[in-house]
PDB file of all heavy atoms in Angstrom:
ATOM      1  N   LEU A 140     100.541  92.880  70.679  1.00  0.00           N
ATOM      2  CA  LEU A 140      99.652  93.571  69.751  1.00  0.00           C
ATOM      3  C   LEU A 140      99.864  93.078  68.317  1.00  0.00           C
ATOM      4  O   LEU A 140      98.905  92.900  67.564  1.00  0.00           O
ATOM      5  CB  LEU A 140      99.878  95.078  69.832  1.00  0.00           C
ATOM      6  CG  LEU A 140      98.987  95.961  68.985  1.00  0.00           C
ATOM      7  CD1 LEU A 140      97.524  95.797  69.404  1.00  0.00           C
ATOM      8  CD2 LEU A 140      99.404  97.409  69.126  1.00  0.00           C
ATOM      9  N   HIS A 141     101.111  92.831  67.962  1.00  0.00           N
ATOM     10  CA  HIS A 141     101.423  92.359  66.618  1.00  0.00           C
ATOM     11  C   HIS A 141     101.439  90.835  66.516  1.00  0.00           C
ATOM     12  O   HIS A 141     101.847  90.288  65.491  1.00  0.00           O
ATOM     13  CB  HIS A 141     102.774  92.927  66.166  1.00  0.00           C
ATOM     14  CG  HIS A 141     102.757  94.403  66.005  1.00  0.00           C
ATOM     15  ND1 HIS A 141     103.524  95.242  66.774  1.00  0.00           N
ATOM     16  CD2 HIS A 141     102.031  95.212  65.192  1.00  0.00           C
ATOM     17  CE1 HIS A 141     103.299  96.486  66.428  1.00  0.00           C
ATOM     18  NE2 HIS A 141     102.389  96.505  65.476  1.00  0.00           N
ATOM     19  N   ARG A 142     101.037  90.180  67.598  1.00  0.00           N
ATOM     20  CA  ARG A 142     100.971  88.723  67.679  1.00  0.00           C
ATOM     21  C   ARG A 142     102.318  88.066  67.340  1.00  0.00           C
ATOM     22  O   ARG A 142     102.396  87.048  66.666  1.00  0.00           O
ATOM     23  CB  ARG A 142      99.894  88.172  66.767  1.00  0.00           C
ATOM     24  CG  ARG A 142      98.530  88.796  66.972  1.00  0.00           C
ATOM     25  CD  ARG A 142      97.491  87.788  67.322  1.00  0.00           C
ATOM     26  NE  ARG A 142      96.124  88.261  67.246  1.00  0.00           N
ATOM     27  CZ  ARG A 142      95.517  88.952  68.207  1.00  0.00           C
ATOM     28  NH1 ARG A 142      96.172  89.283  69.279  1.00  0.00           N
ATOM     29  NH2 ARG A 142      94.260  89.307  68.088  1.00  0.00           N
ATOM     30  N   GLN A 143     103.388  88.705  67.832  1.00  0.00           N
ATOM     31  CA  GLN A 143     104.726  88.171  67.627  1.00  0.00           C
ATOM     32  C   GLN A 143     105.090  87.252  68.777  1.00  0.00           C
ATOM     33  O   GLN A 143     104.704  87.484  69.919  1.00  0.00           O
ATOM     34  CB  GLN A 143     105.754  89.300  67.549  1.00  0.00           C
ATOM     35  CG  GLN A 143     105.577  90.203  66.358  1.00  0.00           C
ATOM     36  CD  GLN A 143     106.499  91.392  66.412  1.00  0.00           C
ATOM     37  OE1 GLN A 143     106.975  91.771  67.484  1.00  0.00           O
ATOM     38  NE2 GLN A 143     106.748  91.994  65.270  1.00  0.00           N
ATOM     39  N   ASN A 144     105.852  86.240  68.472  1.00  0.00           N
ATOM     40  CA  ASN A 144     106.323  85.306  69.481  1.00  0.00           C
ATOM     41  C   ASN A 144     107.584  85.881  70.128  1.00  0.00           C
ATOM     42  O   ASN A 144     108.543  86.208  69.433  1.00  0.00           O
ATOM     43  CB  ASN A 144     106.613  83.943  68.840  1.00  0.00           C
ATOM     44  CG  ASN A 144     106.936  82.890  69.864  1.00  0.00           C
ATOM     45  OD1 ASN A 144     106.673  83.059  71.049  1.00  0.00           O
ATOM     46  ND2 ASN A 144     107.494  81.797  69.407  1.00  0.00           N
ATOM     47  N   VAL A 145     107.584  86.014  71.439  1.00  0.00           N
ATOM     48  CA  VAL A 145     108.741  86.522  72.166  1.00  0.00           C
ATOM     49  C   VAL A 145     109.423  85.346  72.845  1.00  0.00           C
ATOM     50  O   VAL A 145     108.805  84.631  73.631  1.00  0.00           O
ATOM     51  CB  VAL A 145     108.317  87.578  73.222  1.00  0.00           C
ATOM     52  CG1 VAL A 145     109.525  88.061  73.991  1.00  0.00           C
ATOM     53  CG2 VAL A 145     107.599  88.726  72.559  1.00  0.00           C
ATOM     54  N   ARG A 146     110.690  85.168  72.523  1.00  0.00           N
ATOM     55  CA  ARG A 146     111.454  84.051  73.092  1.00  0.00           C
ATOM     56  C   ARG A 146     112.617  84.613  73.899  1.00  0.00           C
ATOM     57  O   ARG A 146     113.552  85.163  73.346  1.00  0.00           O
ATOM     58  CB  ARG A 146     111.953  83.145  71.986  1.00  0.00           C
ATOM     59  CG  ARG A 146     110.816  82.475  71.241  1.00  0.00           C
ATOM     60  CD  ARG A 146     111.313  81.428  70.343  1.00  0.00           C
ATOM     61  NE  ARG A 146     112.281  80.592  71.068  1.00  0.00           N
ATOM     62  CZ  ARG A 146     112.777  79.476  70.611  1.00  0.00           C
ATOM     63  NH1 ARG A 146     112.410  79.059  69.447  1.00  0.00           N
ATOM     64  NH2 ARG A 146     113.650  78.786  71.306  1.00  0.00           N
ATOM     65  N   PHE A 147     112.533  84.429  75.197  1.00  0.00           N
ATOM     66  CA  PHE A 147     113.590  84.895  76.077  1.00  0.00           C
ATOM     67  C   PHE A 147     114.731  83.880  76.164  1.00  0.00           C
ATOM     68  O   PHE A 147     115.718  84.128  76.832  1.00  0.00           O
ATOM     69  CB  PHE A 147     113.043  85.169  77.479  1.00  0.00           C
ATOM     70  CG  PHE A 147     112.288  86.463  77.580  1.00  0.00           C
ATOM     71  CD1 PHE A 147     110.946  86.514  77.273  1.00  0.00           C
ATOM     72  CD2 PHE A 147     112.918  87.616  77.972  1.00  0.00           C
ATOM     73  CE1 PHE A 147     110.243  87.690  77.359  1.00  0.00           C
ATOM     74  CE2 PHE A 147     112.233  88.806  78.068  1.00  0.00           C
ATOM     75  CZ  PHE A 147     110.890  88.851  77.762  1.00  0.00           C
ATOM     76  N   ASP A 148     114.602  82.751  75.493  1.00  0.00           N
ATOM     77  CA  ASP A 148     115.675  81.765  75.486  1.00  0.00           C
ATOM     78  C   ASP A 148     116.521  81.868  74.222  1.00  0.00           C
ATOM     79  O   ASP A 148     117.457  81.114  74.034  1.00  0.00           O
ATOM     80  CB  ASP A 148     115.117  80.350  75.630  1.00  0.00           C
ATOM     81  CG  ASP A 148     114.196  79.966  74.499  1.00  0.00           C
ATOM     82  OD1 ASP A 148     113.497  80.853  73.960  1.00  0.00           O
ATOM     83  OD2 ASP A 148     114.158  78.771  74.150  1.00  0.00           O
ATOM     84  N   SER A 149     116.209  82.819  73.376  1.00  0.00           N
ATOM     85  CA  SER A 149     116.961  83.041  72.149  1.00  0.00           C
ATOM     86  C   SER A 149     117.890  84.242  72.327  1.00  0.00           C
ATOM     87  O   SER A 149     117.442  85.358  72.583  1.00  0.00           O
ATOM     88  CB  SER A 149     116.002  83.287  70.984  1.00  0.00           C
ATOM     89  OG  SER A 149     116.709  83.756  69.858  1.00  0.00           O
ATOM     90  N   TYR A 150     119.173  83.999  72.173  1.00  0.00           N
ATOM     91  CA  TYR A 150     120.172  85.062  72.313  1.00  0.00           C
ATOM     92  C   TYR A 150     119.922  86.178  71.300  1.00  0.00           C
ATOM     93  O   TYR A 150     119.956  87.352  71.637  1.00  0.00           O
ATOM     94  CB  TYR A 150     121.569  84.456  72.146  1.00  0.00           C
ATOM     95  CG  TYR A 150     122.712  85.433  72.171  1.00  0.00           C
ATOM     96  CD1 TYR A 150     122.977  86.191  73.304  1.00  0.00           C
ATOM     97  CD2 TYR A 150     123.535  85.578  71.068  1.00  0.00           C
ATOM     98  CE1 TYR A 150     124.033  87.082  73.334  1.00  0.00           C
ATOM     99  CE2 TYR A 150     124.598  86.459  71.087  1.00  0.00           C
ATOM    100  CZ  TYR A 150     124.848  87.208  72.219  1.00  0.00           C
ATOM    101  OH  TYR A 150     125.891  88.095  72.254  1.00  0.00           O
ATOM    102  N   ASP A 151     119.620  85.803  70.061  1.00  0.00           N
ATOM    103  CA  ASP A 151     119.376  86.792  69.016  1.00  0.00           C
ATOM    104  C   ASP A 151     118.169  87.668  69.330  1.00  0.00           C
ATOM    105  O   ASP A 151     118.200  88.890  69.137  1.00  0.00           O
ATOM    106  CB  ASP A 151     119.176  86.100  67.664  1.00  0.00           C
ATOM    107  CG  ASP A 151     120.434  85.402  67.175  1.00  0.00           C
ATOM    108  OD1 ASP A 151     121.536  85.799  67.604  1.00  0.00           O
ATOM    109  OD2 ASP A 151     120.315  84.450  66.378  1.00  0.00           O
ATOM    110  N   GLN A 152     117.094  87.050  69.821  1.00  0.00           N
ATOM    111  CA  GLN A 152     115.898  87.832  70.144  1.00  0.00           C
ATOM    112  C   GLN A 152     116.124  88.737  71.352  1.00  0.00           C
ATOM    113  O   GLN A 152     115.581  89.835  71.405  1.00  0.00           O
ATOM    114  CB  GLN A 152     114.698  86.925  70.362  1.00  0.00           C
ATOM    115  CG  GLN A 152     114.145  86.401  69.061  1.00  0.00           C
ATOM    116  CD  GLN A 152     112.754  85.812  69.220  1.00  0.00           C
ATOM    117  OE1 GLN A 152     112.156  85.836  70.281  1.00  0.00           O
ATOM    118  NE2 GLN A 152     112.240  85.270  68.129  1.00  0.00           N
ATOM    119  N   LEU A 153     116.916  88.272  72.318  1.00  0.00           N
ATOM    120  CA  LEU A 153     117.237  89.129  73.461  1.00  0.00           C
ATOM    121  C   LEU A 153     118.033  90.347  73.006  1.00  0.00           C
ATOM    122  O   LEU A 153     117.776  91.471  73.460  1.00  0.00           O
ATOM    123  CB  LEU A 153     118.011  88.354  74.527  1.00  0.00           C
ATOM    124  CG  LEU A 153     117.211  87.374  75.368  1.00  0.00           C
ATOM    125  CD1 LEU A 153     118.145  86.583  76.286  1.00  0.00           C
ATOM    126  CD2 LEU A 153     116.154  88.083  76.179  1.00  0.00           C
TER     127      LEU A 153
END
Side-chain angles (χ1 to χ4, degrees):
L140 183 62
H141 294 116
R142 307 238 193 278
Q143 295 173 338
N144 187 16
V145 178
R146 295 190 47 171
F147 283 86
D148 61 328
S149 169
Y150 176 63
D151 294 336
Q152 284 195 3
L153 285 174

